[in-house]
Amino acid sequence: MKVLVINSGSSSIKYQLLDPESGAVAASGIVQRIGEPVADGAPTVEHKSDGKTFEHDGEIADHAAGLRVVFDLFRASGHDLAHEQLAAVGHRVVHGGEVFYEPTLIDDRVVRAISDLSALAPLHNPANVVGIESARALLPEVPQVAVFDTAFFHRLPAAAKTYAIDAKIAAAHGVRKYGFHGTSHDYVSGQVAKFLGRDRSELNQIVLHLGNGASASAIRGGQAVDTTMGLTPLEGLVMGTRSGDLDPGIIFHLIRTAEMNVDDVDDLLNRQSGLKGLSGVNDFRELDTLRETGDAAAQLAFDVYIHRLRRYIGAYLIELGHVDAITFTAGVGENDAAVRAAALAGLENFGIQVDAARNTGKDRSARYISPAGAPVAALVVPTNEELAIARAAADLVA
Ligand code: AMP
């Protein structure tokens, strides 16, 4: 039994065909630059299957065309999706609003409701809908399941999810903290409990999902009690290209004085800020290289990133009262020992210690970076959103 997991972005589709029980990946790939001209001959679709890579380098007009190419590549690589034992197609959907907080079997009504939530996620939900519609057309017999990035944070306490603005305006326009990366925070906190051999219900956890997008969460007994992202994924930590927290007054100031309109500021804060805005690069590997050459802007970007991260670690330590585990995950969290060391430096008085050898070790599986016997377990645990979505989809259709 296998599940096809589809994650449609505005101009890309990532996918995996995997066994939801073992996690074994039969094939995976990415469609990129959808709707963009391709003059450079670089592949628009890269499909990996059984250790081989298959490429397509023609222009991809839209998501439906992208998925058709993907299905052709599946066939060419020996996995004809029409004949695979597909239990379900699992779709990552970014915003579930107040409507969706559990994996949901997709029908026309659900598609309309996801589309109706587009005002809350104008970049993401329309792309998710197109991905869903394309997959439904190509695989009409297979159940399609939506798994929402906001679901894990649906029951945040009122004090954590409420913005201090006019309550009537907030209610009328769905303004609350929704939180994102929920599939990852949920999955990783479950893996932490397994790794520690404890029940998740008895653990207080901080999970730091540090990828190109980044978010932190405070989790008490398996229930999220706070998270850094908000109404949109812009709030909170410094990210690859997003600013994270800032004084909202900056927005009005720029509109009034820098001849920028709302879309300009949206673009500035979502795509030209964060590490990229401060240093010119959004990839942490490039940032580390620049820092090694003594680049002052790169060093400042790193310092701002760490300062923000530590601020939230502190906030969540206080919110939770006591913490059993602090866990790093996603591209930066799993791979960048310097970030982990800086984030937790000097917190021995809080029971938080990092063992330098463990932190810089080459092991890639779930592991301690705190020394044996430390009061707080500091961990690195790889995330796997595709597997979590595949399992949620398989469970629902079973
Ligand atoms: P994700 O969004 O979880 O896929 O994370 C992607 C980001 O992880 C990249 O943009 C890099 O900044 C970062 N990353 C990936 N590999 C490494 C590495 N070996 N060292 C530092 N950062 C890394």
Side-chain angles (χ1 to χ4, degrees), residues 9 59 81 104-105 110 205 236 246 254 269 312 317 327 330 391:
E59 206 167 298
L81 287 175
T104 303
L105 197 60
V110 169
Q205 304 194 38
L246 40 74
L254 291 176
L269 300 183
Y312 276 108
L317 280 172
T327 306
R391 286 188 176 156

Side-chain angles (χ1 to χ4, degrees), residues 15 24 29 45 63-64 73 81 99 163 183 211 228 252 293-294 312 353 375 377-378:
Y15 60 90
V45 187
H63 286 69
L73 290 174
L81 287 175
V99 186
Y163 291 104
T183 305
T228 53
F252 318 130
T293 67
Y312 276 108
Q353 301 159 30

Side-chain angles (χ1 to χ4, degrees), residues 321-337:
H322 104 102
V323 169
D324 299 289
I326 301 180
T327 306
F328 292 85
T329 193
V332 178
E334 291 169 33
N335 294 300
D336 203 304

Side-chain angles (χ1 to χ4, degrees), residues 7-8 39 63 74 126 156 159 245 369:
N7 179 358
S8 302
H63 286 69
F74 265 110
L156 285 178
D245 294 340
I369 57 169

